């Protein structure tokens, strides 16, 4: 049974989602302040955190940044409906995905299960590490290495890099990346993949000639350079 933490100051809405998720087989705790939510998010007791971007005491993005300093727990953010700025800021801060408010409990459950499914499926299917050039991935441990150094990735970043590494040298479409890394089809005008890829590129750095290890192929997708 997966444990989920909801951090949201909207008592009525958080209670609604808690009740629905409980009926769907999850164990759910709720915190209504950022301070208490941050403490629990870092406890290691939860498989996923749902975090509202607007909280009265600490901004959701600040909480997310502090979580990412210590934990790779998947984080699903509540963002304002139609506010692309909130979504991008959340993703850039290390969120794995987002759900715009208001949303239906059914959509929330679908997003949660998609993240958890991707987190667990690679480990279940893995027969060993994936190695290509300086990159080494251990799906069963959700661990990544880059030039023999630990590579700190969020859950979704790991999924994306794993997808590219398993097809190194091949162009992988954004839709395929969205399906495999986020567990959902790519929506029109959705920039989630682009934002996650930008973060991965920053963590990998550039090749000696200045080129990125991950190439954008306009109109087609992304490609991990084969060395």
């Amino acid at each position: 049974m997966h444990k989920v933490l909801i951090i949201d100051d909207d008592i009525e809405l958080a209670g609604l989602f808690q009740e629905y998720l409980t009926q769907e087989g999850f164990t759910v705790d709720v915190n209504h302040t950022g301070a208490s939510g941050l403490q629990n998010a870092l406890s290691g007791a939860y498989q996923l955190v749902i975090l509202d971007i607007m909280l009265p005491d600490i901004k959701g993005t600040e909480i997310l940044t502090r979580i990412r300093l210590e934990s790779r727990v998947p984080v699903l953010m509540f963002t304002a409906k139609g506010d692309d700025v909130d979504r991008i800021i959340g993703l850039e801060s290390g969120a794995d995905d987002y759900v715009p408010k208001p949303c239906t409990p059914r959509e929330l459950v679908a997003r949660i299960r998609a993240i958890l499914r991707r987190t667990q499926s690679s480990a279940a299917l893995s027969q060993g590490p994936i190695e290509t050039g300086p990159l080494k991935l251990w799906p069963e441990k959700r661990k990544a290495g880059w030039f023999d150094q630990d590579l700190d990735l969020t859950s979704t970043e790991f999924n994306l890099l794993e997808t590219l590494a398993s097809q190194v040298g091949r162009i992988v479409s954004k839709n395929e990346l969205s399906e495999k890394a986020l567990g959902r089809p790519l929506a029109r005008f959705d920039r989630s993949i682009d934002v996650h890829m930008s973060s991965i590129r920053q963590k990998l750095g550039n090749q000696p000639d200045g080129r990125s290890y991950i190439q954008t192929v306009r109109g087609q997708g992304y490609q991990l350079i084969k060395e």
Side-chain angles (χ1 to χ4, degrees):
M1 184 176 292
H2 292 105
K3 292 190 68 175
V4 175
L5 174 66
I6 298 176
I7 307 174
D8 194 330
D9 64 319
D10 188 327
I11 297 175
E12 183 177 354
L13 183 63
L16 171 66
F17 286 139
Q18 182 181 30
E19 181 179 354
Y20 190 86
L21 290 173
T22 300
Q23 293 173 356
E24 291 293 316
F26 296 93
T27 298
V28 185
D29 292 330
V30 177
N31 288 136
H32 298 301
T33 67
S36 60
L38 175 60
Q39 182 177 0
N40 284 327
L42 294 174
S43 69
Y46 300 94
Q47 282 73 56
L48 185 137
V49 175
I50 301 170
L51 174 63
D52 188 13
I53 203 166
M54 296 295 294
L55 291 165
D57 55 337
I58 309 175
K59 290 183 179 179
T61 51
E62 181 180 341
I63 293 173
L64 180 55
T65 298
R66 291 163 69 176
I67 289 174
R68 284 291 168 253
L69 290 174
E70 301 182 37
S71 173
R72 298 181 186 179
V73 61
V75 176
L76 180 66
M77 292 207 76
F78 280 140
T79 63
K81 187 174 180 62
D83 193 334
D84 291 336
V85 174
D86 275 356
R87 298 176 187 180
I88 292 172
I89 289 175
L91 294 171
E92 289 179 337
S93 299
D96 291 276
D97 203 356
Y98 63 85
V99 176
K101 278 187 173 183
C103 71
T104 65
R106 184 176 180 181
E107 179 183 5
L108 181 62
V109 169
R111 293 292 183 93
I112 291 172
R113 285 182 169 154
I115 293 174
L116 294 174
R117 185 166 57 247
R118 279 300 306 152
T119 301
Q120 296 169 351
S121 63
S122 61
L125 296 174
S126 175
Q127 298 298 316
I130 299 171
E131 296 186 66
T132 175
L135 177 66
K136 193 169 185 178
L137 301 172
W138 292 267
E140 72 282 358
K141 300 177 182 178
R142 307 291 291 176
K143 179 182 176 182
W146 182 245
F147 285 102
D148 297 322
Q149 299 292 322
D150 288 341
L151 184 60
D152 188 17
L153 300 170
T154 68
S155 176
T156 295
E157 288 170 356
F158 187 96
N159 295 340
L160 286 168
L161 198 51
E162 180 188 7
T163 302
L164 290 175
S166 65
Q167 304 178 66
V168 63
R170 174 179 172 266
I171 300 171
V172 185
S173 70
K174 287 185 182 181
N175 193 62
E176 181 177 350
L177 288 167
S178 184
E179 289 275 9
K180 292 184 175 181
L182 299 179
R184 57 180 171 84
L186 184 69
R188 192 179 183 186
F189 306 123
D190 189 344
R191 293 187 55 198
S192 301
I193 298 298
D194 300 320
V195 176
H196 286 305
M197 283 298 182
S198 176
S199 177
I200 295 172
R201 281 172 164 159
Q202 289 180 13
K203 294 177 181 180
L204 297 183
N206 291 328
Q207 300 180 70
D209 62 5
R211 292 185 303 153
S212 172
Y213 286 94
I214 298 176
Q215 296 292 308
T216 301
V217 183
R218 185 175 295 276
Q220 297 186 55
Y222 289 94
Q223 177 184 26
L224 180 64
I225 298 301
K226 186 174 183 179
E227 295 197 2

